Amino acid sequence: GAIFRDIIIESEYDPLEPNRNCIKVDSSDVRDPCSRVVDKNLEESGMLDSPSAMAAAKVARTRDSLEVTMWGTGKIESTPHGFFAKIMANESKPAADKQKSKTWDSRIPFDHYNVAVGKAITDTEFPRGKRTAPQI
């Protein structure tokens, strides 16, 4: 027949008996080696801060990100990101300075299909090595 796990007759067979007899270890005092530096920093700052500030420091933090509702046109411009983009895109530079801003300058080609090949390209990427003097 079929075995129904939700119906247990302990006098015949108890499938949960091995779980009751397994070895149990208290791991509350084990310190995570990956967060050792963070724990040490919290410990040191706890010596200086009040208990309430220490409890607030232990709360997990998340990275700030742009809310989805701010993605619409006209809304992102009011954030620090949009303000910075407006400053960088500002083309009201004097006529004497015709160079483009080095912030936007890139020499990395993003075309992965038409890759330049040949001796001239290789020589520009890998300069000639230093000449070694023969040992006497």
Side-chain angles (χ1 to χ4, degrees), residues 90-102 104-105:
N90 191 3
E91 294 296 330
S92 63
K93 294 183 181 177
D97 185 20
K98 298 227 180 204
Q99 290 183 342
K100 193 176 178 182
S101 172
K102 296 287 184 187
W104 298 104
D105 190 23

Side-chain angles (χ1 to χ4, degrees), residues 114-126:
N114 300 318
V115 179
V117 293
K119 183 178 180 342
I121 299 298
T122 306
D123 289 342
T124 58
E125 288 194 23
F126 302 104

